Amino acid sequence: MQTRRVVVLVAFIAVLTPLTTMAQRAKADSRPVAIVTEVHGNVWAETAGPGKQEARTFDWFSAGAVLSTDAGATMVVVFESGKRTRLGERSRIRVTADGPADARGITEPLTPVPPLPHVSVVTLEGPATRINAVRVRGDAFARLHPDGSALIADQARLQFEPVREFSSYAITIEREDGTLAFDTTTSATSIDVRPGVLQPGTQYYWRVAAQDPLGRVVRGTGRFVTLTSEQVTRREELRRHLGSSPADLALLAEVDRSLGLVREALPR
């Protein structure tokens, strides 16, 4: 009986391993690796989802997507590698992270840019157990930032908007394992976290607490992730390379938005 159990377990692992590998590959394949930065006329995208759809400026696409142009239409695509390609009319390419593949029609390589940061929708792993365990008084804080977005570790700023004034606020930041990373007490509603406190590529939980005139403690809580070191480096290289034209600024804002940098993506 014991031998049979071992055989069954080994068989289950043998089946599970390729399924796990396939799931990891599918997740990697769904990551955006190219962005449309210029569109004239009718241009289209064919992806693994719904059929052929209209492509628009600042749409992101994963590897395998097919981009095409109608008669009289053109489009410019920037790839994660930094390669840039213009498609002329009645042309098509298949998207890869390195650049265009299976090109047909009129395609023209343009001056490249530095490699783009890896972008994806910000996901915070696991349930917010420590947050949900705290009763948050909804009338105490109208808005907290960040919450569900990203920060650059050495440029982190926490902000909140109390709906009524308190004399001071206690602020704490915890790592994923619940250990304390930062705490302070301040009368300000915006605080910069000194460089070196937060680590790149890490998820954090933070809390602001205050005491009302009746002695009751009110709290607001949020969580965020920090960009990886590679994302920060590539973002800075891209910002140094691009100019201050409206098109360049719009592209930088879109990259920040896609990285989860909500405040940085706002118009300046």
Side-chain angles (χ1 to χ4, degrees):
M1 178 65 70
Q2 185 67 27
T3 301
R4 178 179 297 178
R5 288 178 179 174
V6 172
V7 171
V8 171
L9 179 60
V10 170
F12 175 74
I13 294 174
V15 172
L16 181 62
T17 300
L19 290 177
T20 302
T21 303
M22 290 172 61
Q24 292 172 339
R25 186 180 300 117
K27 184 176 181 180
D29 290 345
S30 66
R31 181 173 58 80
V33 297
I35 181 173
V36 176
T37 59
E38 188 178 319
V39 167
H40 299 284
N42 296 323
V43 300
W44 307 94
E46 299 173 65
T47 64
K52 193 174 183 181
Q53 295 185 330
E54 183 180 5
R56 297 166 297 180
T57 303
F58 297 142
D59 279 350
W60 289 90
F61 293 98
S62 303
V66 175
L67 306 180
S68 60
T69 58
D70 280 355
T74 64
M75 69 189 306
V76 175
V77 185
V78 180
F79 300 87
E80 187 176 84
S81 64
K83 292 180 180 177
R84 297 170 66 235
T85 298
R86 175 181 285 114
L87 280 71
E89 64 175 343
R90 293 178 176 152
S91 302
R92 61 186 287 150
I93 60 169
R94 178 172 56 83
V95 170
T96 76
D98 183 58
D102 304 331
R104 299 180 187 177
I106 306 168
T107 60
E108 175 191 2
L110 303 177
T111 304
V113 299
L116 302 181
H118 299 322
V119 302
S120 61
V121 176
V122 173
T123 55
L124 300 171
E125 301 294 337
T129 51
R130 288 192 293 280
I131 291 177
N132 293 337
V134 177
R135 300 301 300 174
V136 180
R137 289 180 57 85
D139 60 343
F141 300 98
R143 186 178 296 111
L144 291 88
H145 175 78
D147 186 17
S149 56
L151 292 178
I152 297 173
D154 285 347
Q155 301 174 25
R157 171 174 291 182
L158 308 179
Q159 296 174 289
F160 51 93
E161 296 181 13
V163 296
R164 61 184 187 276
E165 187 174 345
F166 296 92
S167 60
S168 64
Y169 306 93
I171 299 173
T172 58
I173 303 177
E174 295 179 1
R175 304 178 185 89
E176 288 182 87
D177 61 4
T179 58
L180 186 66
F182 175 82
D183 73 308
T184 190
T185 300
T186 179
S187 59
T189 58
S190 175
I191 183 168
D192 294 322
V193 181
R194 66 183 181 276
V197 170
L198 305 180
Q199 299 303 308
T202 305
Q203 178 172 316
Y204 292 94
Y205 303 81
W206 74 284
R207 177 181 298 119
V208 53
Q211 193 172 57
D212 67 16
L214 297 179
R216 298 174 300 183
V217 176
V218 293
R219 297 180 176 89
T221 56
R223 55 181 180 164
F224 61 91
V225 295
T226 51
L227 299 188
T228 65
S229 297
E230 182 180 38
Q231 285 176 316
V232 173
T233 298
R234 289 192 174 193
R235 175 181 180 269
E236 289 305 315
E237 290 175 350
L238 187 65
R239 294 177 72 83
R240 286 195 295 266
H241 178 87
L242 295 179
S244 58
S245 70
D248 285 349
L249 293 177
L251 175 57
L252 291 172
E254 173 56 27
V255 169
D256 280 349
R257 186 198 65 80
S258 300
L259 287 170
L261 297 172
V262 177
R263 289 291 171 87
E264 289 83 350
L266 294 175
R268 298 183 182 277

